[in-house]
Amino acid sequence: MKFKKVMAAALAGTMVVGAATSVSAATELTFWTLSTRQEAVDPIVEAFNAENEDINVTVSYYDTDGIKDACKVSASSDSLPSMWFNWGGSLGQFYVDNGKTYDLTEYAEANGWNDTYSAGALNLCTLGGQLCGYPTSYNVLGVYYNKSIFVECGIEVPTTFEEFEAACATLKENGYVPMAAAGLNGWHVMRWVELLVEHYAGAELHDKMNSFEESWDNEAVVQALTKYKEWVDAGYFPDGFITADPNDTLMSFGSGECAMDLQGQWYDGQILQNELDITTYGAFAFPSGETNRMSAFAEMTQFNANLSEEELAAGVKFMEYYYNDENVAEYGQYYNLPLPKDGEKAPEDQINVDGMIETSNTNGTFTITDQAFPTEVADVLFNAQDAIANGEMTPEEGAANIQAAIEAYQAK
C-alpha cells in the first residue's frame, strides 16, 4: 500500500500580487495569507481587481509560522495589513485582547451572517465577546474507525465512555491496536487527552479551564491523565508512539494495524488520495458524556480594527468573491471543504464529512487545546504527555505543571 504525505511548502520571501496599474480613487487593501494557497489566490486576486476598478487588493504570502510571526511583529508597530489569515483560539484572541482586529458583531447582524454561516464556525470565531473574523473553514474532529474490524470483533459503535473502553479491550484481545497515536510535536496525542479531560471535567468546567478561569491543577485533570497512562500501559496505542510522526498515522490505520484514529473531516480526502476504500471507514463523536462535544477549530480572515466602513465593506466583498461557488469549484484543493456555510455539502465521495459537521452542530464543540492554549502552555502539556507515558512523571505532577505554566504565562 502506498501512502502519500502532503507537506506545506515554505516560502523564503514575500511575494506580492496586485493590479498592474493603480486607480487613484480605488480602495487599497492589503491581504496576508498562506503560501500554500498561492496558486489559487494569485488568479483570484487578479480577476477580482479586474472586475472591481474601485478596489485594489495586494497580497503577501507567508508560510505557517511566518504569518504568525509577521502579524505579531506588525501588531506591535500598528502596521497590520487590512486583512490577514488566522486561526481561532489563542491565535486569534491575541488580536482581540490588543484591540487590533475589527469587531464584526454588528456588521454580521446587519448582513444576516447568522442565516449564512454555520453556528459552530461563528462560535469559534467569537472570542472575547466579539466576532473577530470572517469564517473561512470549520474543522471538527471525530473518531474514524474501520468498519470491517468492528464487525469482525462484534463491536457496535460505542455511545458511552464505558462502551468505548470495552471496545478497546475487545480490539486488543483480537490482536488489533485500538487507537492510532503519534507523539511527535505533541498535538496528535493531545487529541485523545483533551477528550479525556472533557469526559472527567464536563463541558462547563472544561471551558472555564481553557479560558483559565479555573485551575488545571484539579482532580478531573488528574483522572484524565491517569486514564491516559492506563491506556498506554494496556497497549491501546502503538509501540513507540511517543516518537512517531502524526502525519503517518494513516499508514497504521489504513493497513488495519490500528482500528481507530482521531482526525478531522479532511481524513476522508486523505483516505481517497491514498486509494483506500472509503466505504470501509466510518466516524463517530467520542462518547465523553453529556452531549459528546467534539473538538473543533476554525480558520478565518481577520480585519484591521482601523479600517473605515468603506474599507471593511470592500474587504468583505473580496472575501465573498474568494469563496464564491465558481472559485471553490475551480480551486477546490486549496480550500478546507465544505465551506462553513449552512447548506454546504462535502464532495459526494467524501462520505463521512457531512455527518461529522451535522453531529458537531447538534452536540456542540470545544476549541481544540493547542488553539485554546498559548504555545508556552501547550508545550508543557505535550511534555507532560510524554513523561507520563514513559513513567517519568505522575498525573498529579502533570496537572500541577500545566497550571504552573498557565500562571507563568499570565504573569507576563
Side-chain angles (χ1 to χ4, degrees):
M1 187 180 302
K2 184 178 180 181
F3 292 88
K4 305 170 186 175
K5 185 189 296 185
V6 179
M7 300 182 67
L11 190 69
T14 301
M15 299 190 67
V16 176
V17 176
T21 59
S22 177
V23 178
S24 59
T27 299
E28 296 287 341
L29 298 174
T30 50
F31 176 43
W32 292 2
T33 191
L34 298 176
S35 55
T36 51
R37 302 178 180 184
Q38 185 173 357
E39 290 189 31
V41 177
D42 275 359
I44 289 172
V45 169
E46 183 177 359
F48 178 83
N49 286 341
E51 293 180 22
N52 296 272
E53 295 182 356
D54 59 336
I55 304 172
N56 185 63
V57 177
T58 303
V59 189
S60 296
Y61 296 98
Y62 299 87
D63 62 22
T64 301
D65 292 322
I67 199 167
K68 296 175 185 176
D69 294 340
C71 285
K72 282 201 170 182
V73 170
S74 295
S76 67
S77 60
D78 202 25
S79 59
L80 281 162
S82 308
M83 46 194 175
W84 62 93
F85 167 87
N86 206 350
W87 296 266
S90 59
L91 298 173
Q93 183 77 51
F94 173 85
Y95 300 93
V96 175
D97 292 343
N98 290 280
K100 300 298 184 181
T101 188
Y102 204 106
D103 182 354
L104 296 165
T105 304
E106 292 184 3
Y107 186 94
E109 290 176 356
N111 289 276
W113 285 17
N114 285 336
D115 298 324
T116 302
Y117 298 96
S118 71
L122 289 172
N123 179 60
L124 290 173
C125 293
T126 300
L127 305 170
Q130 63 175 258
L131 179 59
C132 67
Y134 177 101
T136 58
S137 75
Y138 173 56
N139 307 282
V140 299
L141 279 72
V143 180
Y144 274 78
Y145 71 103
N146 187 308
K147 296 178 183 177
S148 298
I149 293 176
F150 270 44
V151 169
E152 175 190 334
C153 296
I155 300 171
E156 299 287 341
V157 172
T159 59
T160 67
F161 186 78
E162 292 73 21
E163 289 176 358
F164 182 85
E165 286 206 286
C168 289
T170 299
L171 289 164
K172 184 66 177 177
E173 290 169 2
N174 283 272
Y176 295 103
V177 177
M179 294 174 277
L184 188 65
N185 300 321
W187 49 264
H188 189 273
V189 171
M190 173 209 74
R191 295 174 180 176
W192 293 112
V193 170
E194 68 181 359
L195 289 170
L196 289 172
V197 173
E198 174 82 357
H199 171 66
Y200 287 105
E204 182 177 358
L205 177 56
H206 193 186
D207 284 345
K208 289 182 177 180
M209 289 159 53
N210 276 356
S211 62
F212 301 160
E213 297 174 57
E214 294 285 349
S215 173
W216 274 73
D217 189 6
N218 63 43
E219 184 59 28
V221 177
V222 172
Q223 288 178 304
L225 295 175
T226 299
K227 179 59 67 174
Y228 162 65
K229 175 61 172 170
E230 288 178 11
W231 284 359
V232 172
D233 292 344
Y236 289 175
F237 300 126
D239 292 339
F241 75 95
I242 287 298
T243 57
D245 187 335
N247 294 302
D248 292 339
T249 61
L250 185 57
M251 295 177 67
S252 59
F253 181 65
S255 66
E257 174 189 352
C258 295
M260 295 181 285
D261 195 3
L262 191 51
Q263 295 284 348
Q265 73 265 24
W266 58 81
Y267 217 39
D268 268 32
Q270 293 184 16
I271 289 169
L272 291 167
Q273 289 168 24
N274 286 282
E275 300 178 354
L276 298 169
D277 181 3
I278 189 68
T279 64
T280 301
Y281 307 100
F284 61 89
F286 182 86
S288 59
E290 297 185 15
T291 63
N292 297 336
R293 296 194 305 173
M294 300 172 76
S295 172
F297 66 94
E299 295 174 343
M300 59 184 168
T301 298
Q302 293 190 293
F303 295 92
N304 195 310
N306 296 324
L307 292 183
S308 66
E309 291 184 6
E310 180 184 12
E311 289 170 328
L312 176 62
V316 172
K317 184 176 184 179
F318 170 68
M319 281 295 109
E320 291 176 344
Y321 183 88
Y322 182 167
Y323 289 94
N324 68 26
D325 292 343
E326 293 77 14
N327 284 324
V328 170
E330 185 167 357
Y331 305 107
Q333 61 185 307
Y334 298 100
Y335 297 80
N336 283 5
L337 299 177
L339 294 181
K341 297 180 179 181
D342 288 337
E344 289 288 325
K345 298 295 183 182
E348 290 184 1
D349 56 355
Q350 296 185 24
I351 61 176
N352 295 301
V353 175
D354 291 336
M356 292 177 68
I357 298 295
E358 290 169 7
T359 299
S360 75
N361 287 332
T362 300
N363 294 13
T365 62
F366 63 89
T367 302
I368 196 167
T369 304
D370 56 355
Q371 287 193 20
F373 279 4
T375 302
E376 303 94 314
V377 179
D379 287 343
V380 173
L381 169 62
F382 298 162
N383 290 336
Q385 292 170 173
D386 293 354
I388 290 170
N390 291 327
E392 300 167 351
M393 181 184 293
T394 66
E396 290 80 5
E397 291 170 335
N401 288 352
I402 294 167
Q403 182 59 29
I406 292 170
E407 293 172 5
Y409 171 79
Q410 292 175 319
K412 293 195 305 181

